[in-house]
Amino acid sequence: MPESHLSIFPRALRESARLVDQTRNDRAARIHRGDEIPTLSLSDRRAWLEDWHPDYRDDGKEALQVGRSQGMMAPKELVRLLQAWPRESVRKLYARGNLEPDYSCDVLVIGAGGAGAAAAIAAAEKGAKVMIATKLRHSDSNTVMAEGGIQAASQECDSPLQHYLDILGGGHFSNDPDLVEALTSDGPLALAWLEELGMMLDKYPTGRLKTRHGGGTSRKRLHSAGDITGLELMRVVWDRVRVEKNVQLLEFCPAVELLVDEDGRAMGAVVERLIHKDVKVIQANSVVIATGGFGRLHIQDFPTSNHYGATADGLVMAYRAGLPIRDLAHNQYHPTGIAWPEQKKGLLITEKFRGMGAQLLNRHGDAFVNPLEPRDVTSAAIIRECLEFGNGVELPAGGFGVWLDTPLIERIHGIGAVKKNFPGKYKEFLHHGIDISVTPLLAYPTLHYQNGGVNITPQGGVNMPGLYACGEVTGGVHGNNRLMGNALLEIIVFGLRAGVAAAEFSQRMGPGAALKLDHLEPFLIELAQAKIPETQVAPMLLPRYGTTLPI
Ligand SMILES: Cc1cc2nc3c(=O)[nH]c(=O)nc-3n(C[C@H](O)[C@H](O)[C@H](O)COP(=O)(O)OP(=O)(O)OC[C@H]3O[C@@H](n4cnc5c(N)ncnc54)[C@H](O)[C@@H]3O)c2cc1C
């Protein structure tokens, strides 16, 4: 093949890219013979994880000194936010005592990703007057970026029980079994609900749903919309939200504190209006937290696949309100974040590429790990290959990458397979002049998913009356390790459940007593006793890059 396709790479990368081209025929022949790198033994997996996975670095974690989960280990970057002082806007309101509402509704949903949208739809369908307050524009979320697919036991050869067992195994039995049961038994219904809204999932010409294996699945149950599953999911749920006259949307209005009445019932939230630069008080009969995860904390300086608003705000507010949290010591680093070009660093390259045969290669063009090892092991293998053996591809702006041989997919599945199966990534890279059907990609692990979070019941309740939570902000469904495709299912199942429960609570209880911030008091005393500097403030709202001033 002529080498013009390699001219897209800077000179420093070209020689290594050439080796990938040169070794491809031989590697394809070995795959054909079934002569691939074997999967690791359990003891080797553990050793690689302990030596190279970021979760196992003792210097990356710290014990919480204040709050309900004192003593729990969590990433340092998160601990700094969980034990922080409220924002100035809140401290002013706190000094004032009772608060007058600027807005009132039955159910306040905080966050407008997939979980928030599902909760809003369910609550509105129950007749509740719903308000959604979100940090950026609606849909600015992790949900819209999801690529690979959504799991649900939709096929005859499968069952919710089989799905349940896979999730428990994947989570190393650290999950909350009741939440897993709720997720898996509602799975087929959630998928049918999305299809009824108009979601276009991949199908055979007969109309039958296409399903694939994901890492750790004993049955093929991953459903996709090409490699833009999250975008397609959000298209339909947001169309539904928009036609719902009972839902009012406040964009660029991040919540910065929960409001709780003197009986300890959640009563709404304080929001900061980013455009007007002022503060508003929202009164609600019940509240749903759906603020997503914390990928933008760049734990241990890792790049991230997450959207800009993923800064743990919901966790911060919930923790201050005394809610227990769980499973935050283990996070998901996806093995294949984009390593080059620089402006795309950290963004995701879905596991589906490896599922279709793309191999991970070192700078010599040699495979070094079986492509279907679990995510955590593959991430550890990449870091080890780069840092222990010095076999990573050195990037022009510093750091390392390994090759993901996407053209090998064409070799295995025929010409056109990349464009057909990965229309999103194919187009995205064409914008940079890179045709990924002929040119391999450079990848490195990227911070991807918050495995744990706020404890919830199967109905999405937390241990505060009137307060509910759903989606990535919660913990327990995945334990300390999530399998691919279960997060998209989780946001629909628990979004709908939380929305119904919040609407029913609102109908049952009606308005509460005076709006207060008094629940902060014990927490503030603990902060002072622990000598946490008053400059340590949260929620962060948006990450601080370069010289940009914090919001
Ligand atoms: C690139 C990528 C690919 C993925 N691919 C898959 C996949 O194929 N399959 C799968 O199952 N999972 C996948 N995931 C994970 C999955 O997409 C997410 O876990 C899930 O969509 C989270 O949904 P959510 O509604 O809980 O949070 P989000 O979708 O992140 O929504 C959170 C919302 O809350 C808002 N918010 C945050 N803070 C505040 C605040 N203080 N006040 C008000 N609003 C706030 C945010 O702006 C956002 O609108 C992927 C994730 C990423 C990043």
Side-chain angles (χ1 to χ4, degrees), residues 109-117 133-151 222 229-230 234 253-256 271 290-293 304-314 317 334 346-348 350 375 447-450 470-474 482-491 539 541:
V109 176
I110 307 176
T134 195
K135 180 152 52 182
L136 300 165
R137 298 164 303 178
H138 83 255
S139 297
D140 280 335
S141 62
N142 279 354
T143 305
V144 84
M145 298 162 79
E147 297 179 6
I150 176 168
Q151 286 207 41
L222 194 72
T229 311
M234 283 301 258
C253 283
V256 290
V271 300
T291 47
T304 182
S305 63
N306 284 202
H307 84 115
Y308 284 94
T311 52
D313 303 354
M317 292 184 275
H334 196 289
L347 294 186
L348 193 77
T350 171
R375 282 183 181 176
L447 180 58
H448 185 55
Y449 188 75
Q450 171 188 307
C470 50
E472 197 170 335
V473 70
T474 67
R482 173 178 73 95
L483 298 183
M484 175 189 186
N486 285 326
L488 286 185
L489 181 61
E490 171 186 22
I491 61 178
L541 301 191

Side-chain angles (χ1 to χ4, degrees), residues 164-396:
Y164 172 89
L165 294 174
D166 287 350
I167 294 180
L168 286 188
H172 311 298
F173 301 95
S174 58
N175 331 50
D176 177 335
D178 292 340
L179 297 184
V180 184
E181 190 196 340
L183 180 84
T184 52
S185 56
D186 279 11
L189 298 172
L191 202 67
W193 183 76
L194 287 168
E195 280 212 273
E196 237 167 68
L197 291 185
M199 184 169 178
M200 310 240 282
L201 291 160
D202 294 341
K203 289 186 174 166
Y204 294 103
T206 56
R208 191 182 174 82
L209 282 166
K210 281 189 178 169
T211 49
R212 286 182 298 107
H213 272 299
T217 59
S218 61
R219 300 285 188 278
K220 288 185 178 177
R221 72 169 73 89
L222 194 72
H223 308 76
S224 325
D227 60 347
I228 49 170
T229 311
L231 182 65
E232 174 61 7
L233 184 153
M234 283 301 258
R235 180 183 72 80
V236 300
V237 292
W238 270 98
D239 273 359
R240 184 73 189 84
V241 170
R242 277 198 207 95
V243 298
E244 188 54 71
K245 60 182 184 317
N246 268 349
V247 180
Q248 187 184 347
L249 174 65
L250 302 179
E251 292 180 312
F252 298 103
C253 283
V256 290
E257 212 70 67
L258 295 171
L259 292 163
V260 179
D261 74 6
E262 58 201 13
D263 300 325
R265 168 182 164 186
M267 286 292 303
V270 178
V271 300
E272 284 185 17
R273 296 199 302 174
L274 300 183
I275 293 172
H276 301 79
K277 299 202 185 313
D278 61 7
V279 179
K280 295 286 171 195
V281 170
I282 304 179
Q283 177 180 42
N285 299 342
S286 57
V287 179
V288 180
I289 305 179
T291 47
F294 63 36
R296 280 283 155 182
L297 300 188
H298 290 287
I299 287 163
Q300 295 184 35
D301 285 334
F302 268 79
T304 182
S305 63
N306 284 202
H307 84 115
Y308 284 94
T311 52
D313 303 354
L315 263 187
V316 168
M317 292 184 275
Y319 192 62
R320 265 186 204 152
L323 304 188
I325 53 180
R326 56 174 291 169
D327 299 324
L328 287 161
H330 291 270
N331 305 300
Q332 192 154 76
Y333 295 81
H334 196 289
T336 53
I338 295 172
W340 183 90
E342 189 68 18
Q343 63 269 45
K344 296 209 119 17
K345 204 165 186 162
L347 294 186
L348 193 77
I349 312 169
T350 171
E351 198 169 306
K352 192 173 163 188
F353 277 98
R354 279 178 291 134
M356 290 194 68
Q359 286 178 318
L360 287 166
L361 310 172
N362 64 21
R363 70 189 169 97
H364 307 296
D366 295 329
F368 55 90
V369 63
N370 183 290
L372 292 180
E373 290 285 2
R375 282 183 181 176
D376 50 0
V377 176
T378 311
S379 290
I382 293 172
I383 297 171
R384 176 177 185 255
E385 190 69 12
C386 293
L387 303 188
E388 181 172 329
F389 300 128
N391 283 336
V393 181
E394 233 174 299
L395 302 172

